Amino acid sequence: MKFAVLVFPGSNCDIDCYKAVEDSLGEPVDYVWHTATDLSAYDCILVPGGFSYGDYLRCGAISRFAPVMAEVAKAAEQGKFVLGICNGFQILTEAGLLPGALRRNMSMKFRCHDTVLKVVNNTTPFTVDYAKDEEIVIPIAHGEGNYYCDEETLASLKANNQIVFTYSDNPNGSVADIAGVSNAAGNVVGMMPHPERAANSLLGSEDGKRMFTSILKTWRDRYDAASIR
């Protein structure tokens, strides 16, 4: 399985994502610059956190027009795995690959600390190694992590099991305590907390590591099933 870690001007969690894949899975992983126009070689695309383009305008509003985003949309349509973390989540919502939007934290303060998440949906390619309703410790670091959607969208998210993670102690004012959502197909997930910063006990938690092992497990299961056919 091959991973791509996208790099935008201002990304600062690309190395973290790269190391999480390298150390947790030992699978091939490349940095891919935002000007790339071909992601066909990759099975999973990671859109990392940071402050792409300095977070001018809205977070992710400029990055969504980068050439590579057309390829991310194509990969998502093909059923490949796409994970957006923090600023990456913001980029995916701006690009229309995920529903909703991220607004300023209710406190109007940057929040940087561990947070407890509940795994609401453990059937996505990113969460199969977790138990449903399991509580995990994953750090956050954001000023605009307040997830918002209208009532109709929220009802749809609930009905389609697209809410992947919720906060146990909502740190930013997100509607329905939402910390992460998926697209309808489940192969695109965005979340504000940073699983790549919880992939080693030296970092204080290994709870994020299973997001990466889940991706590999799901890909192998699909590959094995395709081989049988």
Side-chain angles (χ1 to χ4, degrees), residues 58 86 89-90 92-94 96 98-106 142-158 162-163 165 167 170 172-182 190-192:
R58 297 180 308 277
C86 198
F89 185 13
Q90 295 161 342
L92 293 181
T93 59
E94 288 287 340
L98 289 173
L102 283 307
R103 307 190 298 184
R104 290 292 301 274
N105 293 346
M106 193 73 73
H142 58 249
E144 299 187 31
N146 180 357
Y147 182 80
Y148 173 79
C149 63
D150 59 29
E151 291 184 5
E152 182 179 355
T153 301
L154 180 60
S156 177
L157 290 175
K158 291 179 178 179
Q162 289 176 246
I163 299 174
F165 298 106
Y167 296 107
N170 194 334
N172 48 41
S174 293
V175 65
D177 300 324
I178 290 173
V181 300
S182 75
M191 60 189 298
M192 288 309 299

Side-chain angles (χ1 to χ4, degrees), residues 117-173:
L117 304 182
K118 179 193 285 188
V119 182
V120 179
N121 181 356
N122 71 329
T123 65
T124 77
F126 310 90
T127 54
V128 294
D129 276 347
Y130 296 103
K132 181 173 173 52
D133 296 330
E134 180 180 354
E135 290 191 338
I136 59 177
V137 177
I138 307 287
I140 60 169
H142 58 249
E144 299 187 31
N146 180 357
Y147 182 80
Y148 173 79
C149 63
D150 59 29
E151 291 184 5
E152 182 179 355
T153 301
L154 180 60
S156 177
L157 290 175
K158 291 179 178 179
N160 296 326
N161 201 23
Q162 289 176 246
I163 299 174
V164 181
F165 298 106
T166 57
Y167 296 107
S168 294
D169 183 13
N170 194 334
N172 48 41

Side-chain angles (χ1 to χ4, degrees), residues 52 56-65 69 87-103 144:
S52 60
Y56 292 112
L57 301 180
R58 297 180 308 277
C59 297
I62 299 177
S63 295
R64 70 81 77 239
F65 292 105
M69 290 308 299
N87 190 232
F89 185 13
Q90 295 161 342
I91 293 170
L92 293 181
T93 59
E94 288 287 340
L97 295 177
L98 289 173
L102 283 307
R103 307 190 298 184
E144 299 187 31

Side-chain angles (χ1 to χ4, degrees), residues 6 23 59 77 96 130 159 180 189 201 221:
L6 303 190
D23 294 346
C59 297
E77 290 174 5
Y130 296 103
V189 163
S201 59
D221 287 346

